[in-house]
């Protein structure tokens, strides 16, 4: 099988490339990635001789068309992915997340290629902190940020292309991922790399917002299970029952890195900050048999901390610019 992986130089995409080459050595892999600030070829350096890498834009029809035509399967990870950036400048989010998905959908329609769309639980908006409910595949879309609204729009296009044109597509909406190769603008790697640099972790607002953490390898295994056993046209929610508030996560990072539990700062909150995400993954488990393997968050987090400690050359070139951007907005 020839797989075209968009965004394969980003966090989840690079992990997906590695997992695919390990678990499915017969797959031929092409990565299409624009190498924005979030893409890093170093994340693929150990497999560079086993993949075809194309630097290009998913929103460019002429780049996309021949790559899709040569593939049996497209897995679309490429996106502008960071909420805080979307609040500063939504325009690349509209271009990549909406126009980019449109171009891929048109290409898979023309060439009759199977398509899997990677999306987020943020399309459902947020839940109250004291609400026992979780997101399900029938929860109404209600996105809060420019990022999540463009992801929601892209999901709705996929559904429309399935219904109107018979495109062979599935969609997955996953909760917050953690693990190796995550950009240090994101919550967990930002705090780990701050502590390595002797800087106190930064909690937005009171730190009570809840995220439903899943290890990136469990997410990617679910993606393959949906491709193998999911039903065309269906949406699958991916989550591993990993709800924690941000303060609890920071306290655990501090403990694992040998610091006092209150050795952090509160900083300005994110405008429109979603309160809580929580996933009910019953449909995924029942339809595909998927089960998370990284159920122990403490141990997965310890491994992730060790990865950032051991791979400082991977993240250090970005650190000063990332922190300067946060400092400019009081975070
Ligand atoms: P990331 O920001 O780490 O990586 C995105 C990648 O896409 C980068 O390599 C970047 O260079 C590339 N890219 C951006 N614009 C492009 C364009 N126009 N053309 C080609 N390539 C482009 O993101 P991530 O965290 O790995 O997220 C990957 C996908 O998973 C996204 O669709 C995101 O919405 C979704 N998702 C992420 C999470 C999470 O916790 N990180 C959870 C659920 C879903
Ligand atoms: O839920 C899935 C989503 O998870 C994905 O769709 C997004 O691509 C991904 O970035 C992530 O979005 P979040 O906004 O939840 O992730 P982020 O890492 O930016 O922040 C996680 C939580 O931590 C959130 O409540 C904001 C808070 N935070 C973040 C940073 C960077 C802090 O308290 N301090 C920080 O320094």
């Amino acid at each position: 099988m020839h797989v075209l992986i968009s965004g394969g130089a980003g966090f989840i995409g690079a992990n997906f490339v590695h997992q695919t080459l390990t678990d499915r050595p017969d797959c031929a892999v092409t990565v299409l990635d624009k190498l924005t600030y979030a893409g890093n070829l170093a994340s693929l350096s150990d497999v560079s001789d086993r993949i075809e890498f194309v630097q290009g834009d998913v929103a460019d029809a002429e780049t996309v068309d021949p790559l899709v035509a040569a593939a049996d399967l497209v897995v679309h990870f490429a996106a502008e992915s960071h909420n805080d950036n979307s609040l500063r400048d939504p325009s690349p989010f509209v271009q990549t997340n909406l126009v980019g998905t449109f171009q891929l959908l048109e290409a898979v329609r023309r060439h009759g290629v199977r398509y899997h769309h990677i999306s987020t639980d943020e399309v459902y908006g947020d839940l109250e902190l004291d609400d026992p409910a979780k997101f399900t595949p029938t929860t109404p879309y209600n996105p809060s940020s420019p990022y999540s609204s463009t992801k929601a729009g892209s999901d709705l296009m996929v559904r429309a292309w399935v219904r109107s044109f018979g495109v062979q597509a599935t969609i997955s909406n996953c909760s917050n991922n953690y693990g190796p190769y995550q950009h240090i603008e994101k919550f967990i790697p930002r705090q780990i790399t701050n502590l390595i640099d002797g800087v106190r972790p930064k909690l937005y607002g009171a730190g009570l917002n809840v995220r439903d953490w899943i290890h990136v390898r469990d997410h990617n295994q679910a993606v393959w299970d949906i491709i193998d056993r999911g039903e065309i046209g269906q949406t699958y929610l991916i989550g591993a029952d990993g709800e924690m508030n941000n303060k609890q996560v920071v306290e655990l990072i501090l403990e694992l890195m040998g610091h006092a539990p209150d050795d952090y700062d509160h900083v300005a909150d994110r405008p429109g900050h979603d309160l809580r995400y929580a996933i009910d993954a019953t449909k995924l488990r029942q339809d595909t048999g998927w089960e998370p393997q990284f159920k122990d968050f403490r141990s997965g987090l310890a491994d992730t901390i060790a990865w950032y400690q051991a791979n400082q050359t991977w993240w250090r070139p970005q650190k000063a610019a990332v922190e300067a951007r946060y400092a400019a907005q009081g975070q």
Side-chain angles (χ1 to χ4, degrees), residues 196-197 307-317:
I196 292 172
D197 278 354
W307 190 88
Y308 282 92
Q309 284 168 328
N311 290 278
Q312 298 198 24
T313 52
W314 182 86
W315 57 264
R316 193 159 287 292

Side-chain angles (χ1 to χ4, degrees), residues 83-317:
N83 278 297
D84 292 323
N85 295 344
S86 80
L87 295 165
R88 273 194 296 268
D89 178 11
S91 116
F93 289 76
V94 171
Q95 184 62 19
T96 290
N97 301 356
L98 288 169
V99 179
T101 299
F102 164 73
Q103 293 298 359
L104 279 174
L105 284 171
E106 284 294 84
V108 295
R109 170 156 91 104
R110 273 193 298 277
H111 299 292
V113 175
R114 172 82 166 87
Y115 174 87
H116 182 75
H117 186 71
I118 303 291
S119 193
T120 170
D121 58 357
E122 296 194 15
V123 299
Y124 299 112
D126 61 353
L127 300 158
E128 294 298 327
L129 294 179
D130 59 358
D131 182 352
K134 297 185 173 201
F135 298 137
T136 73
T138 56
T139 303
Y141 274 37
N142 186 26
S144 314
S145 73
Y147 162 67
S148 52
S149 64
T150 56
K151 291 297 291 187
S154 72
D155 293 9
L156 297 180
M157 275 193 284
V158 178
R159 292 182 183 189
W161 264 243
V162 170
R163 178 161 173 167
S164 300
F165 304 125
V167 160
Q168 300 287 293
T170 39
I171 301 174
S172 54
N173 297 78
C174 189
S175 59
N176 285 63
N177 286 215
Y178 73 100
Y181 299 112
Q182 185 167 32
H183 195 281
I184 55 165
E185 69 189 353
K186 302 298 199 297
F187 177 54
I188 287 179
R190 181 180 185 211
Q191 316 314 332
I192 295 170
T193 54
N194 272 352
L195 284 169
I196 292 172
D197 278 354
V199 174
R200 284 157 68 94
K202 312 290 179 202
L203 267 184
Y204 292 177
L208 299 180
N209 304 61
V210 172
R211 296 295 183 262
D212 189 351
W213 293 99
I214 181 172
H215 195 280
V216 62
R217 290 182 61 183
D218 281 333
H219 177 185
N220 283 331
Q221 183 58 52
V223 170
W224 268 118
D225 288 347
I226 293 164
I227 291 164
D228 287 340
R229 294 186 288 283
E231 192 184 327
I232 296 299
Q234 290 296 304
T235 288
Y236 294 90
L237 269 59
I238 306 174
D241 300 320
E243 280 187 73
M244 289 183 82
N245 74 34
N246 296 336
K247 185 166 163 289
Q248 292 170 314
V249 173
V250 158
E251 286 169 350
L252 187 52
I253 294 171
L254 284 163
E255 183 199 327
L256 290 168
M257 295 183 74
H259 292 261
D262 59 352
D263 198 6
Y264 60 81
D265 295 324
H266 291 282
V267 294
D269 207 350
R270 172 184 286 170
H273 196 173
D274 280 339
L275 286 174
R276 172 174 162 254
Y277 307 140
I279 291 272
D280 177 347
T282 305
K283 178 178 169 184
L284 170 72
R285 289 173 187 253
Q286 285 179 347
D287 287 10
T288 73
W290 173 83
E291 277 296 323
Q293 301 303 310
F294 294 81
K295 290 180 188 158
D296 181 351
F297 182 69
R298 183 190 181 87
S299 131
L301 190 58
D303 288 348
T304 304
I305 291 168
W307 190 88
Y308 282 92
Q309 284 168 328
N311 290 278
Q312 298 198 24
T313 52
W314 182 86
W315 57 264
R316 193 159 287 292

